[in-house]
């Protein structure tokens, strides 16, 4: 089934994405931690260098990448090595001289970052300058290494996510396949005995009527016949659902089918029932075939289920309109609209065995859920619109196929099955 494969594929993608995300986050966290530790250690080292230079060095011999200036008696002196342009910071030195408060400044200039410490030393004011260009280069190298590691980690994350996703979801896919085979086997084995029970129930009901058995007993026999018929329909639904979920090679062959002819046959088959209920049933179809590629029995079941649903929820005096048309050259559309009770748009009518809320609950059973499976399995879509008390409108859209088989044979096959 397409929905089943989508669920498995979606589960694989989710597991893969989660694993990949976990690996990516882990690599990113390690990189951020390493970068943060490097920056912290460098700043500590720079502060130690500035403190040592300001407290113990003299302007003529500070360590490499540092400069020291001295403010004494209103004059600023420095070492023999020329200072970078813009240094020393005379304003900071005079401010510290007047207030006695040390000042730390970071200045970005000349393509690098300078750390400046201005403080008092005895009666003098000293200003130590540290060029952090080598530390910044180390940071850039680390960032490049982290970026490469991140890319490699992302590749590993994607690959490991795909592998883990397949391994993790494999039991789910196997479980779904086993469940599908079990349903198909059980449904196939139950069809014959249920058909036999239904036939015997029909025979008993006829004999009871001929033998003049009291009406209440005949009514119970008729109810038994209806129950066995519905049981057979449920088994057929399960079997068809399992076949739709099977691998493409195990499915029934998809042949060109005339959608208009199938709709016409379904309407003819339900005319008597609609007349008994006092419901007007009409069909609008083009004069030319409307070919779609699909399984004839499955598509016939779609139309039959929509008509059954409409007849169930349309009271006497209502109307059901069936329309087959070609809204686009590559799209065929089947519309079943009724003037019945309708349903709440919030109801999940395509869920299996769903019962709507409110005083008039709409019980969907397997029918509409299976109907959606059939339509999506044929590459189509189904749309349901309604409001309580305003009727319902179901629109099935299917891709147009090649020329269908002769309409007469299709019609005869549908009528015979009905």
């Amino acid at each position: 089934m397409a929905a089943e494969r989508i669920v498995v594929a979606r589960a694989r993608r989710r597991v893969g994405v989660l694993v990949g995300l976990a690996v990516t986050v882990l690599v990113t966290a390690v990189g951020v931690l390493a970068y943060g530790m490097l920056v912290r250690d460098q700043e500590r080292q720079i502060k130690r260098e500035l403190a040592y230079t300001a407290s113990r060095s003299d302007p003529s011999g500070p360590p490499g990448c540092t400069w020291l200036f001295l403010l004494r008696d209103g004059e600023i002196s420095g070492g023999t090595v020329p200072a970078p342009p813009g240094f020393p910071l005379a304003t900071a030195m005079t401010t510290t001289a007047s207030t006695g408060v040390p000042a730390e400044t970071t200045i970005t200039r000349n393509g690098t970052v300078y750390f400046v410490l201005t403080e008092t030393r005895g009666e003098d004011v000293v200003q130590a300058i540290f060029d952090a260009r080598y530390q910044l280069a180390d940071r850039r190298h680390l960032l490049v290494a982290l970026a490469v590691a991140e890319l490699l980690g992302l590749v590993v994350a994607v690959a490991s996510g795909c592998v883990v996703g397949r391994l993790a979801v494999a039991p789910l896919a196997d479980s779904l396949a086993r469940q599908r085979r079990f349903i198909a086997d059980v449904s196939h084995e139950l069809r014959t005995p249920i058909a036999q029970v239904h036939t015997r129930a029909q025979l008993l009901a006829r004999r009871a009527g001929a033998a003049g058995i009291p009406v209440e007993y005949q009514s119970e026999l008729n109810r038994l016949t209806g129950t066995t018929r519905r049981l057979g329909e449920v088994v057929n639904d399960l079997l068809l659902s399992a076949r739709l979920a099977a691998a493409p090679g195990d499915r029934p062959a998809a042949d060109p089918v005339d959608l208009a002819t199938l709709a016409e046959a379904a309407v003819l088959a339900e005319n008597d029932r609609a007349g008994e209920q006092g419901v007007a049933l009409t069909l609008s179809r083009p004069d030319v075939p409307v070919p779609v590629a699909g399984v004839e029995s499955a598509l016939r079941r779609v139309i039959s289920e929509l008509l059954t649903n409409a007849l169930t929820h349309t009271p006497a005096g209502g109307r059901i309109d069936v329309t087959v048309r070609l809204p686009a050259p590559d799209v065929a559309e089947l519309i079943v609209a009724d003037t019945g009770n309708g349903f709440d748009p919030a109801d999940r009518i395509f869920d299996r065995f769903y019962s709507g809320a409110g005083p008039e609950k709409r019980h969907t059973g397997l029918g509409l859920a299976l109907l959606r499976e059939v339509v999506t399995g044929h590459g189509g879509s189904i749309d349901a619109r309604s409001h309580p008390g305003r009727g319902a409108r179901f629109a099935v859209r299917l891709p147009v196929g090649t020329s269908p088989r002769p309409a007469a044979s299709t019609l005869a096959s549908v009528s015979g099955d009905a």
Side-chain angles (χ1 to χ4, degrees):
M1 179 173 55
E4 190 174 287
R5 290 194 298 273
I6 291 174
V7 170
V8 174
R10 187 178 300 166
R12 287 176 178 172
R13 287 196 297 270
R14 285 181 178 177
V15 173
V17 169
L18 290 176
V19 173
L21 183 62
V23 175
T24 303
V25 170
L26 179 61
V27 173
T28 303
V30 172
V32 171
L33 181 61
Y35 186 79
M37 292 180 63
L38 175 65
V39 172
R40 185 191 62 181
D41 291 343
Q42 286 182 344
E43 290 180 350
R44 288 179 176 177
Q45 178 187 0
I46 290 172
K47 288 182 178 181
R48 288 196 299 269
E49 292 285 348
L50 288 174
Y52 177 82
T53 301
S55 61
R56 300 188 180 183
S57 298
D58 60 78
S60 62
C65 296
T66 57
W67 293 266
L68 182 65
F69 294 89
L70 181 65
L71 175 61
R72 177 179 295 171
D73 299 330
E75 294 184 2
I76 299 176
S77 60
T80 57
V81 179
F87 292 102
L89 302 179
T91 302
M93 298 183 74
T94 54
T95 300
T96 299
S98 60
T99 62
V101 179
E104 294 185 3
T105 308
T106 301
I107 298 177
T108 301
R109 183 182 296 174
N110 306 324
T112 184
V113 176
Y114 297 98
F115 291 82
V116 181
L117 172 62
T118 306
E119 63 180 11
T120 59
R121 184 201 293 177
E123 299 294 331
D124 304 325
V125 174
V126 294
Q127 186 175 87
I129 304 169
F130 185 88
D131 186 352
R133 68 179 63 244
Y134 295 110
Q135 285 74 11
L136 296 178
D138 291 339
R139 295 180 188 180
R140 287 192 295 268
H141 294 158
L142 179 59
L143 288 176
V144 172
L146 291 177
V148 173
E150 187 71 23
L151 291 176
L152 293 177
L154 183 61
V155 173
V156 173
V158 172
S160 60
C162 293
V163 173
V164 173
R166 288 184 174 276
L167 294 177
V169 179
L172 172 61
D174 183 66
S175 176
L176 291 175
R178 290 175 181 271
Q179 180 187 30
R180 186 171 56 244
R181 288 195 298 269
F182 173 77
I183 293 175
D185 292 342
V186 171
S187 301
H188 187 273
E189 292 298 325
L190 288 176
R191 290 181 70 187
T192 300
I194 290 177
Q196 292 174 348
V197 171
H198 180 62
T199 302
R200 290 173 184 249
Q202 287 180 314
L203 182 60
L204 286 174
R206 293 194 188 101
R207 289 180 178 178
I213 293 178
V215 177
E216 58 269 20
Y217 294 123
Q218 294 183 30
S219 177
E220 291 299 324
L221 287 173
N222 289 333
R223 290 179 60 186
L224 175 62
T225 302
T227 301
T228 55
R229 176 179 56 81
R230 288 191 295 272
L231 180 59
E233 291 176 352
V234 170
V235 171
N236 287 333
D237 286 347
L238 291 172
L239 182 59
L240 179 57
S241 178
R243 287 179 176 176
L244 290 172
D250 299 332
R251 295 179 185 174
D255 298 318
V257 180
D258 185 359
L259 185 64
T261 299
L262 288 181
E264 183 177 352
V267 169
L268 289 175
E270 296 290 354
N271 262 334
D272 292 341
R273 179 184 173 189
E276 293 174 357
Q277 295 182 197
V279 176
L281 179 58
T282 66
L283 171 67
S284 174
R285 55 155 294 179
D287 296 332
V288 297
V290 181
V292 295
V295 181
E296 180 179 328
S297 60
L299 293 176
R300 183 168 63 246
R301 182 60 187 274
V302 168
I303 304 173
S304 175
E305 182 65 33
L306 288 177
L307 285 176
T308 300
N309 181 73
L311 286 169
T312 301
H313 298 282
T314 303
R319 181 185 182 88
I320 300 175
D321 296 317
V322 180
T323 305
V324 179
R325 62 178 186 171
L326 290 166
D330 58 343
V331 176
E333 188 173 48
L334 168 74
I335 300 174
V336 178
D338 63 66
T339 59
N341 302 325
F343 59 89
D344 191 326
D347 287 348
R348 303 186 303 274
I349 61 173
F350 291 108
D351 289 357
R352 298 189 176 201
F353 305 108
Y354 174 75
S355 294
E360 294 187 3
K361 295 183 178 180
R362 176 180 286 261
H363 302 276
T364 61
L366 272 174
L368 292 179
L370 178 61
L371 183 150
R372 182 174 61 178
E373 292 180 7
V374 172
V375 173
T376 56
H378 283 75
S381 62
I382 180 169
D383 175 62
R385 300 179 182 178
S386 176
H387 291 283
R390 301 183 186 177
R393 180 184 183 275
F394 290 83
V396 176
R397 296 170 68 90
L398 295 168
V400 171
T402 56
S403 298
R405 295 174 292 180
S409 64
T410 303
L411 181 56
S413 173
V414 175
S415 300
D417 291 342

